[in-house]
Structures are given as C-alpha cells and as structure tokens.
Amino acid sequence: MARVFSGVQPTGNLHLGNYLGALTQFVELQEENECIYCVVDMHSITVPQDPKLLKEHIKDIAALYLAVGVDPKKSIVFAQSDVSGHAELGWILMCNAYTGELSRMTQFKQKAQGKESAPAGLFSYPVLMAADILLYDTDIVPVGNDQKQHIELTRDLAIRVNGKYGEDTFVVPDGRFLKEGARIMALDDPTSKMSKSAPNELSRISLLDDASKIKKAIMKSTTDSEGVIRFDIKEKPGVSNLLNIYSALSGKSVEDLVKSYEGQGYGNLKKDLVEVVVNAIAPIQERYNQIRQTQELVDILNDGAERANAIAEKTMARVKDHFGLGL
Ligand code: AMP
Ligand code: TRP
C-alpha cells in the first residue's frame, strides 16, 4: 500500500474548485492506499487569522473532509498543530533550503507582491509543506496544479538531504496532479482560478452555499456574446468553465453536453447547471450538518492526531539520528 498525504488550509469554506480538484481524489485514493488528510492550521497563520474563527474553521474543514466521503476508519484526519513533528521537521528542512529557491516560489511572489517586507513564515511556507509530506514517508501527494512548484521543492529537499545524510533519510514523494479539466475557474472572471480569497462572493460556489446563492452565482456568471455553446478554453473560457463543472458533477462528457445543448442559449445551460450543482452539494451539506457540532468530530480528530503522531515520531527519531541531533 502506498502512503498518501495531503492538506487543506482552514481558511473559510471549501469551494467547488477544492472539491473537484482535491477532495474527490482524496476519497478515491483511500480505497487502495494508506491516506493521511491534514487540516494545515500552521500554514494558515502565515497570514493573520482571528483565533476564535480559526478554531472553528479547523473543524469546518475536518467536517467537510468527512462530509465528502473521507472515512476516518480508512484514513487519518487531523489538525497539523496537534502533531509537533511538522514544526520540528520544518526547522531541520529550513536549514537545508536556500533563500534563492524560496524566493522563486510563485505563490510567495503573489502573496508578498508590492510589500517591502513579508512575514518570514510566508517565505518559508513551502518548507513547512515539505515537512508535512516527508514526515510521513509519503509516496503520493494529491494536489491541484497550483502546488506543482511546492512538490518539486519537496522532492529537491528530500533528494538533497538524502545525498548528505543518507539515502534512507526521506522517501522522495510524487505529486498526483489534476487533469486540465479539473481546474475550476472563477465564475465572474473565468481567466482566473476559483479561489477562497477573491472578494466577490459570486466568483465561487462554496460547498456550504444555499440554493439561492448558487443560482445567483451561476446565472450571473461571465460568458461571452457569441451565443453558441461549445468548448474552447481560450476563446470561450466562461462557457468552457461551466461545461467543465457540469461534466465533473454529472459524469457526462463535455462532448456529450455540447451535443445535447446544440442550438440552445446560455440561459438553459446555466439553469440546468444550477440544478446539477445544488443536487451534488445537497448530500454533502446534509452530512456536514450531522457531524459539524458533535463530539464525534473532536474524537475523530484526536484519534487521527494520535495515529499521525505515532508515524511522525518514528520519522523524527530516524531523521534526528541521521543529522546527529540530540543524545
Ligand atoms: P487551497 O484552497 O488553495 O487551500 O487549495 C486546496 C486544494 O484545492 C489544493 O489541492 C488546490 O490545488 C485545490 N484547488 C484550489 N483551488 C482550485 C481550483 N480553482 N480548481 C481546482 N483545484 C483547486
Ligand atoms: N499548500 C497547500 C495549498 O495551499 C496546502 C498544503 C500544506 C499541502 N501542506 C500540504 C498540500 C502538504 C499537500 C501536502 O493548497
């Protein structure tokens, strides 16, 4: 069995992009692998967070993991800060990462854009991510394409440390990226990615949105003036994005959808998509509401942290030994 690790930040609700890009893979992978799914709260404090809200968001994301079908009997689900090995290994890796390579990370460049100075944590964010992954001898990391550069850095760090401190120090992981179609774009601006942080609420559909918000976002979504439903990311990013979402949630191919909407306007496509999205999300919301406020959720996270820690402790003992740290 291969070991799988992935993480999602507890910053607000998850949206359709997170769901189709990451969470559906999480559920598929748990059938044949040993999966560890983490709520990466330590990553989220690289930008300021309200402590009370952060605590709630950690549980929100954990409950969403479970609601989409992550099974705590098969997979480990936990909060990153409950296992101290992440920070500990993060430091060791930091001493082997270079400021040059970190300053080339596009996510850092975007987040620090225009600022004269940025938190050091924002700069070293990818090193903590590498620690998350290497701490569990991970083989496979399912993530969105936007994380490719961070996975490459993780591999570079593992190979570099192995070269210096012994080939059996770290398992070198592989990323498992999405198909191009799984990149979900913003509804108001289909040339940029659907994201948690965009100021316009109608740019995204969150997994906890009600039907009227979903309807509003889809009916108002940006398309084009051609009036023909066809798939063409370059010329028709808006319509193509709607087709992608429709296809991913309904299981129908984009090709079949295009055929079935021949001669129809965007209004029909949008109206049907509202129904498809609402129906796909309803069972997730139902399960979320069942578990979110329960002691069961807390128990699952505590149990997950314990199981994660058992694996992490072994890795830390080995790594410290290879580095000559401690007695
Ligand atoms: P984030 O929301 O940036 O914490 O991302 C959590 C996971 O969802 C990562 O694996 C991302 O790559 C993935 N993801 C985020 N936004 C999108 C999107 N618009 N389309 C597809 N995947 C996404
Ligand atoms: N950086 C990832 C993101 O923004 C989240 C993350 C942190 C992660 N640690 C990870 C993803 C380890 C996969 C594995 O989406």
Side-chain angles (χ1 to χ4, degrees), residues 13 37 84 89 107 122 126 138 172 206 256 264 303 305 315-316:
N13 282 328
Y37 298 128
S84 59
L89 185 57
Q107 188 169 310
L122 202 58
T138 302
V172 181
S206 291
D256 286 349
Q264 300 190 49
D303 173 63
T315 311
M316 282 316 297

Side-chain angles (χ1 to χ4, degrees), residues 273-303:
L273 180 58
V274 171
E275 204 181 306
V276 167
V277 172
V278 169
N279 286 339
I281 285 182
I284 297 175
Q285 294 189 347
E286 198 183 313
R287 267 175 287 172
Y288 175 87
N289 289 326
Q290 278 166 0
I291 193 134
R292 172 62 181 84
Q293 303 296 347
T294 61
Q295 181 61 35
E296 189 190 348
L297 179 65
V298 178
D299 292 344
I300 287 170
L301 287 171
N302 282 333
D303 173 63

Side-chain angles (χ1 to χ4, degrees), residues 38-191:
C38 184
V39 182
V40 289
D41 53 352
M42 303 268 278
H43 276 97
S44 70
I45 61 165
T46 51
V47 296
Q49 301 289 340
D50 175 325
K52 279 209 188 80
L53 278 181
L54 179 56
K55 266 202 194 300
E56 293 305 313
H57 283 156
I58 292 168
K59 289 189 192 167
D60 290 346
I61 298 297
L64 277 171
Y65 273 151
L66 303 176
V68 300
V70 170
D71 178 350
K73 290 196 190 74
K74 292 182 187 147
S75 304
I76 295 178
V77 180
F78 75 108
Q80 184 186 30
S81 62
D82 282 340
V83 176
S84 59
H86 293 257
E88 218 178 332
L89 185 57
W91 176 255
I92 293 175
L93 291 173
M94 207 101 75
C95 298
N96 288 275
Y98 289 90
T99 53
E101 61 191 346
L102 295 182
S103 47
R104 285 194 293 275
M105 296 289 127
T106 48
Q107 188 169 310
F108 170 72
K109 285 197 268 187
Q110 277 163 9
K111 288 196 177 170
Q113 207 175 29
K115 299 192 182 97
E116 199 177 307
S117 187
L122 202 58
F123 186 64
S124 48
Y125 175 111
V127 183
L128 181 60
M129 176 163 164
D132 299 340
I133 296 167
L134 300 179
L135 187 58
Y136 297 98
D137 293 337
T138 302
D139 301 297
I140 303 168
V141 189
V143 275
N145 286 317
D146 60 323
Q147 297 298 314
K148 247 183 197 153
Q149 210 184 16
H150 292 164
I151 301 294
E152 239 0 89
L153 177 80
T154 303
R155 289 172 52 85
D156 288 348
L157 284 171
I159 291 166
R160 184 179 306 155
V161 168
N162 284 355
K164 275 197 229 167
Y165 298 93
E167 288 302 328
D168 59 342
T169 312
F170 292 127
V171 171
V172 181
D174 282 305
R176 194 179 127 145
F177 305 101
L178 314 165
K179 287 174 259 130
E180 196 43 55
R183 194 171 142 94
I184 304 301
M185 309 309 281
L187 294 171
D188 61 336
D189 169 18
T191 57

